[in-house]
Amino acid sequence: MSISLITMIILIAGGSDSTDVSIVPENWVFGYDCLINASACGKWKENHPVFDSTSVDAAFSVMAASPEVDLLATGALHSDTASHVGFRRARCAVKWPGTPWIGAGIYLNDQQPFIAGLSNPVLEWGWVDIDSIQGFGVSSGGVLGFQGDYLIQLSRGDTLSQLNVHSPWMGFAGVDYSRAQIHAADSTGENITVNVLSVRGDFRYFRPWLIVAGAEGEEGKWAVSAEIRRFRPIDTQWGRIEIVPGMHFAGDSIEFPGSAFVPGQRVITLGAFLESRRYFVSAGIKGMVDLSSDSLSGVSASAGMISEGGVSWDMIFGYYADGDYRAYVSSAISDSYASAGMAMEVINDSTRVTGSASYSPRDDVCAEVSVSGDIDDSLQPACVLAVTTSLGPVMCLAGIEWEYDSSPSLRINLTGLLE
């Protein structure tokens, strides 16, 4: 018997108006929702719009949960060049009665591998297509506050295993360990193993963070990142200044499916950030020294402010030792119904200026327009116009984009979540 059929039977039983004693426990929670997304895209040709692609996606989910059971089933209809109907997502997870620490579950397109880093993830979302994952997992914990889960799944014939262990907060530190491994179904595929140990501490005046990553038995596939945070030795009338030293080293052969590390990097960083207590202002500066080459050496700075009159300012600057640089300055003013702003961005030898405005005649309607141009050798103009409106849980967007070397493109999007 499928999960959706079981869930529907429970829904019918729980929603009965009969005065007889229900077979469904009182602590169960039931719900359903329907997510609809429809879009049409096209070009402006011969003085009239021509839509060349359309798509409709509707997903209906039914869920039921109790302290011991979690059920979810999602059916979907997708139509573009062809129509497809079927299961999109399903989950059936149970816990040992009386404790939240011991459980097991069966998953269909529901558990995707992800491992966080200090800033960028070590293992990024989308590394494995969520629509191709199915398998089962177990979880346990409670001993001294430790928690852990282990999953075995299949993805287009490849075997994907995930292990996550989380320690309790021990008053001064906590430790997390994650491991993701994929075994290719055939000899032409690539086997990937990612091990990540994360240590976070709190010594009252500063908080050290450490990330150690690596692949088993493979030379050059390792990485280490460390930062000291919440170290605020300077206090000014504008606020406290936090100093953040850090290091980011990686082996020459590292190929983790994330953006946390660059192969062969040997980078030391030092940042200073203003945490204001009295003013709507923020600022920061960060320097980077690449010990192996000059490709990652440089400095970046940013600042933002909102005045009492409602004028906001944002500034970003970056310069690298290899000669690349970027600067961005923007200012905008707004009230309850309208806003207008200007921005200038400089990337190496290119300078672009953008003007934007928006207007909301009522709470459920908003129109936005932006016009930009390159002020160097060629103007290369670009324009964007978008109008959004909502009616309860349904939102509609109509937009048009135009760049100097192409025909205007059109887009209409309708999205709604019915619960």
Side-chain angles (χ1 to χ4, degrees):
M1 184 177 291
S2 66
I3 296 176
S4 62
L5 182 56
I6 295 174
T7 308
M8 289 301 297
I9 293 174
I10 295 175
L11 279 173
I12 295 172
S16 175
D17 294 331
S18 173
T19 57
D20 295 337
V21 178
S22 176
I23 63 172
V24 179
E26 294 181 356
N27 56 356
W28 278 70
V29 177
F30 308 98
Y32 66 90
D33 60 56
C34 183
L35 178 62
I36 302 174
N37 183 72
S39 63
C41 302
K43 295 286 187 178
W44 192 274
K45 298 179 181 179
E46 298 179 358
N47 299 323
H48 67 278
V50 177
F51 290 97
D52 50 19
S53 65
T54 60
S55 66
V56 177
D57 191 279
F60 182 78
S61 298
V62 181
M63 64 284 295
S66 75
E68 293 82 20
V69 181
D70 180 12
L71 299 174
L72 170 69
T74 300
L77 166 65
H78 183 80
S79 176
D80 41 28
T81 56
S83 297
H84 309 277
V85 179
F87 260 128
R88 172 165 295 174
R89 182 185 178 195
R91 176 178 67 241
C92 177
V94 296
K95 297 178 181 178
W96 191 272
T99 174
W101 305 111
I102 302 175
I106 300 174
Y107 307 98
L108 172 65
N109 307 338
D110 187 66
Q111 296 286 337
Q112 190 174 33
F114 173 82
I115 302 178
L118 287 182
S119 54
N120 297 327
V122 179
L123 197 62
E124 181 61 276
W125 293 110
W127 167 51
V128 180
D129 184 10
I130 186 64
D131 292 334
S132 68
I133 299 177
Q134 55 272 335
F136 66 93
V138 294
S139 60
S140 64
V143 180
L144 300 179
F146 281 84
Q147 303 178 45
D149 59 77
Y150 182 69
L151 292 94
I152 291 289
Q153 298 173 299
L154 295 177
S155 174
R156 296 190 174 93
D158 298 337
T159 302
L160 173 65
S161 63
Q162 304 174 60
L163 172 64
N164 299 287
V165 179
H166 306 281
S167 79
W169 181 251
M170 297 176 288
F172 66 95
V175 180
D176 298 333
Y177 172 72
S178 297
R179 170 189 172 91
Q181 188 175 32
I182 188 167
H183 289 283
D186 52 59
S187 58
T188 59
E190 183 180 7
N191 297 325
I192 299 176
T193 302
V194 181
N195 294 279
V196 179
L197 178 67
S198 174
V199 182
R200 58 197 187 281
D202 189 348
F203 296 94
R204 186 175 179 180
Y205 298 107
F206 63 94
R207 297 179 181 177
W209 287 72
L210 174 67
I211 297 287
V212 180
E216 299 172 353
E218 299 184 51
E219 184 178 355
K221 291 190 176 183
W222 59 270
V224 178
S225 285
E227 286 184 354
I228 296 179
R229 303 176 179 178
R230 308 298 285 181
F231 177 54
R232 304 167 177 170
I234 304 174
D235 197 350
T236 69
Q237 63 176 357
W238 288 90
R240 294 180 178 179
I241 297 179
E242 180 178 349
I243 307 298
V244 183
M247 54 166 284
H248 309 277
F249 289 3
D252 297 333
S253 302
I254 189 171
E255 296 178 353
F256 293 156
S259 55
F261 304 107
V262 177
Q265 69 178 1
R266 306 286 192 277
V267 178
I268 296 177
T269 63
L270 180 63
F273 305 93
L274 173 65
E275 181 182 348
S276 181
R277 298 189 300 266
R278 300 178 53 190
Y279 306 96
F280 286 100
V281 61
S282 64
I285 184 171
K286 182 178 181 179
M288 299 158 287
V289 178
D290 192 336
L291 303 180
S292 59
S293 66
D294 291 334
S295 60
L296 298 178
S297 297
V299 61
S300 62
S302 62
M305 181 184 68
I306 300 178
S307 68
E308 294 182 357
V311 180
S312 63
W313 293 86
D314 289 289
M315 292 167 283
I316 300 174
F317 173 79
Y319 178 80
Y320 293 90
D322 59 4
D324 290 339
Y325 59 90
R326 175 179 181 258
Y328 176 84
V329 180
S330 69
S331 178
I333 184 172
S334 62
D335 58 18
S336 301
Y337 302 98
S339 67
M342 293 288 295
M344 181 177 69
E345 183 176 28
V346 179
I347 301 178
N348 296 333
D349 297 330
S350 176
T351 302
R352 195 165 190 85
V353 176
T354 302
S356 60
S358 67
Y359 178 61
S360 298
R362 44 186 291 171
D363 293 340
D364 54 1
V365 177
C366 180
E368 300 177 83
V369 62
S370 67
V371 180
S372 65
D374 196 322
I375 62 176
D376 293 324
D377 296 336
S378 59
L379 185 60
Q380 298 183 358
C383 306
V384 177
L385 172 64
V387 178
T388 58
T389 181
S390 62
L391 179 61
V394 181
M395 183 182 70
C396 179
L397 180 146
I400 181 170
E401 299 182 13
W402 175 77
E403 294 184 2
Y404 74 101
D405 59 348
S406 62
S407 302
S409 59
L410 310 173
R411 180 177 180 85
I412 298 177
N413 186 261
L414 181 68
T415 304
L417 177 61
L418 309 177
E419 298 179 301

